[in-house]
Amino acid sequence: MRIKICGITKPEQGRSIAQQGATALGFICVRQSPRYILPEQIEQIVISLPSGIDRVGVFADASIAEIQQVVTIGQLNVVQLHGNESPEFCQQVRMALPKVELIKALRIRSDADLGRSNLYHRVVDTLLLDAYHPGALGGTGKTLDWSALQRFCPDCAWFLAGGLTPENVLEALSLVQPDGIDLSSGVESAPGDKDLQKVARLFEQLRSIVSAEI
């Protein structure tokens, strides 16, 4: 299972989280976010990461030119669209960046929102389901109704996000089977400042799943 820790802003935290077992680090490229990081700062973090770690730029309603620029400077290999991007726009991003994995985040507050995922299956590589909050795009700590996702089975890979923590991740994974999980506020002491003890606790919990399966 893929494990993405999002909202990285500090090089030493990024290295530690990657070494602990994260398969992807997320960098917030939305200026209004308290976790925003400059492309040049992303570059300084990713050059020190172990090989094989996905480097995800998170955008919201950005232009294709801006996305391309940040991907180049920050040496990113994944783009996550977390705004109101249409399937048509996603297709344009795919054409502009054919070698980059494309993730579309959907903020879920109703079955209708979940149904919209069908519009994106063919134009993105991966979906990400996040909890809806009227005042923020993500990182709010609000959880989804996991039981409502038990029948969610898209034609592409998907991440579960939204309020996951070391304390509730096992409960979530007992109800749904995503291809990956995405955590941000659940392993922070403040926005953009990761709590490495919480991160360690997360991986302890996830290892317990693997041990149980063996």
Side-chain angles (χ1 to χ4, degrees), residues 85-87 90 103-130 148-149 151-159:
E85 298 88 1
S86 67
C90 292
I103 300 173
K104 178 66 181 90
L106 300 174
R107 295 186 294 153
I108 307 300
R109 56 177 168 175
S110 68
D111 289 342
D113 293 328
L114 199 59
R116 288 179 56 240
S117 66
N118 294 325
L119 301 174
Y120 292 92
H121 291 175
R122 295 184 180 180
V123 293
V124 302
D125 300 294
T126 308
L127 292 172
L128 182 147
L129 301 189
D130 201 355
L149 302 178
R151 296 183 180 180
F152 183 65
C153 188
D155 293 332
C156 62
W158 69 285
F159 277 93

Side-chain angles (χ1 to χ4, degrees), residues 9-214:
T9 61
K10 302 177 184 296
E12 66 279 6
Q13 292 181 358
R15 287 194 298 271
S16 177
I17 290 169
Q19 290 166 355
Q20 289 193 53
T23 64
L25 299 184
F27 304 97
I28 306 301
C29 307
V30 182
R31 293 181 183 275
Q32 299 89 336
S33 171
R35 300 174 179 87
Y36 174 69
I37 182 171
L38 291 167
E40 293 78 9
Q41 293 173 309
I42 298 174
E43 180 188 19
Q44 291 305 307
I45 294 175
V46 303
I47 59 176
S48 65
L49 294 178
S51 61
I53 302 296
D54 285 323
R55 306 163 314 274
V56 186
V58 180
F59 301 86
D61 302 313
S63 68
I64 292 178
E66 178 184 349
I67 294 170
Q68 287 178 305
Q69 181 181 41
V70 176
V71 165
T72 299
I73 295 173
Q75 301 180 35
L76 304 174
N77 70 326
V78 184
V79 164
Q80 178 178 319
L81 301 177
H82 214 98
N84 297 309
E85 298 88 1
S86 67
E88 292 76 19
F89 183 82
C90 292
Q91 182 62 42
Q92 293 172 19
V93 174
R94 181 190 283 278
M95 292 176 65
L97 295 165
K99 296 182 179 181
V100 170
E101 179 185 357
L102 184 57
I103 300 173
K104 178 66 181 90
L106 300 174
R107 295 186 294 153
I108 307 300
R109 56 177 168 175
S110 68
D111 289 342
D113 293 328
L114 199 59
R116 288 179 56 240
S117 66
N118 294 325
L119 301 174
Y120 292 92
H121 291 175
R122 295 184 180 180
V123 293
V124 302
D125 300 294
T126 308
L127 292 172
L128 182 147
L129 301 189
D130 201 355
Y132 176 84
H133 187 285
L137 292 175
T140 64
K142 185 176 181 180
T143 60
L144 288 158
D145 179 0
W146 302 318
S147 62
L149 302 178
Q150 288 181 302
R151 296 183 180 180
F152 183 65
C153 188
D155 293 332
C156 62
W158 69 285
F159 277 93
L160 177 66
L164 294 175
T165 70
E167 290 69 38
N168 68 19
V169 68
L170 296 187
E171 179 186 358
L173 294 177
S174 73
L175 294 171
V176 296
Q177 289 77 46
D179 300 283
I181 55 174
D182 184 312
L183 290 87
S184 182
S185 62
V187 289
E188 283 182 332
S189 55
D193 186 10
K194 302 307 177 190
D195 184 326
L196 296 181
Q197 290 185 339
K198 291 182 179 179
V199 174
R201 176 62 176 157
L202 169 71
F203 285 104
E204 287 176 9
Q205 295 287 75
L206 295 175
R207 280 193 290 270
S208 73
I209 297 178
V210 175
S211 299
E213 290 176 347
I214 294 173

